[in-house]
Amino acid sequence: MTESAKPRLSARGSGVRADRPRLTRERIVAAALALIDRHGVGGLSMRKLGAELAVDPMAIYYYLPNKSALFDAVVEAVYAELDVTSITWTGDWREELAAVMHRFRDTLRRHPRALPIVATRPTTAPVSMAIFERALELLEDVGFSAQEVLDIINCLGAFTIGHALAEVGEPVGGETPDAGLSLDPTYADQYPRLARALAAGIDYDPDESYALGLSAMISSFRPRRRRR
């Protein structure tokens, strides 16, 4: 066999041709998130991920030791899409919190099939740390304790994730024939007020629903105890 005919191996001997894109942690995580976006969490496996990247699945473990670490990295990738740098900081903590949460919701809605992972795996992604830091800067100055600030951000984050999951998350067991609110006519006498409301026409607007809940939460926050 001539020198030119020999297979070209990567520096780690993985069998990947040198003319293919180099395997990196960033490529692996991006491919994993893309697989989840297309097929859901159940559609992600190391074998499928290896096929997506055209590498031996074992090569992935060099960068991420197990599937748990991969899921954590996927959550970080979702948070990395959250753009808070372009938000106009007004100095009004209520307005700023609302702006960040709306951006967060927009980010989550781009990855509906990744929501179960984001909802159940905490992250220390740089953007989330920046949000906590900015919230502490704003809210401690108006009397909130550090514990209260962290609780507030966690409450708003959980509300936003839950609302997005209910809105765009993949239904367990598949789509239902009629996902809208309706009432069987035989129950009209039993639930007269609900029957009248539905007859008058009730439209579900997820944007208005989210804004209403977010505004109610933020406006209700008060320091429990003034700091000395």
Side-chain angles (χ1 to χ4, degrees):
M1 181 181 291
T2 64
E3 184 66 28
S4 61
K6 292 180 180 179
R8 288 176 291 171
L9 304 182
S10 69
R12 296 187 181 89
S14 64
V16 180
R17 290 180 61 87
D19 54 356
R20 288 179 180 164
R22 186 170 64 90
L23 189 63
T24 63
R25 186 180 186 276
E26 290 72 22
R27 278 193 64 215
I28 293 170
V29 176
L33 181 55
L35 274 175
I36 293 169
D37 285 341
R38 294 200 305 270
H39 306 296
V41 178
L44 176 65
S45 68
M46 292 303 194
R47 179 182 60 79
K48 292 178 180 177
L49 184 54
E52 182 85 356
L53 294 162
V55 300
D56 185 329
M58 296 304 296
I60 296 170
Y61 292 103
Y62 180 87
Y63 300 90
L64 295 153
N66 49 49
K67 202 169 183 179
S68 179
L70 177 61
F71 282 143
D72 286 339
V74 165
V75 174
E76 289 181 9
V78 172
Y79 273 88
E81 294 183 14
L82 174 55
D83 175 24
V84 297
T85 59
S86 61
I87 293 176
T88 300
W89 302 119
T90 63
D92 184 316
W93 65 270
R94 294 181 178 87
E95 289 183 3
E96 290 193 20
L97 284 182
V100 170
M101 289 302 129
H102 277 288
R103 292 284 179 90
F104 185 35
R105 175 174 175 256
D106 291 341
T107 302
L108 296 175
R109 282 157 50 93
R110 290 197 294 269
H111 302 285
R113 290 179 169 172
L115 278 168
I117 310 174
V118 177
T120 55
R121 304 193 76 87
T123 181
T124 55
V127 67
S128 65
M129 297 299 99
I131 291 170
F132 278 114
E133 182 68 19
R134 179 59 178 170
L136 284 165
E137 178 186 355
L138 281 172
L139 274 67
E140 283 187 328
D141 285 347
V142 295
F144 289 94
S145 69
Q147 180 64 59
E148 288 171 338
V149 176
L150 299 182
D151 288 341
I152 286 170
I153 296 300
N154 284 326
C155 285
L156 295 176
F159 169 68
T160 302
I161 292 171
H163 196 281
L165 183 61
E167 179 191 350
V168 299
E170 196 167 29
V172 176
E175 296 289 342
T176 56
D178 181 13
L181 180 61
S182 61
L183 184 66
D184 190 311
T186 59
Y187 290 105
D189 292 339
Q190 189 173 352
Y191 308 107
R193 294 179 184 273
L194 179 58
R196 286 196 299 271
L198 294 176
I202 301 296
D203 293 324
Y204 172 62
D205 186 325
D207 295 333
E208 288 189 8
S209 173
Y210 176 72
L212 176 65
L214 183 66
S215 176
M217 290 184 70
I218 292 178
S219 63
S220 69
F221 292 132
R222 298 286 188 279
R224 296 191 189 98
R225 182 174 55 193
R226 288 283 178 180
R227 292 181 302 137
R228 294 181 180 177

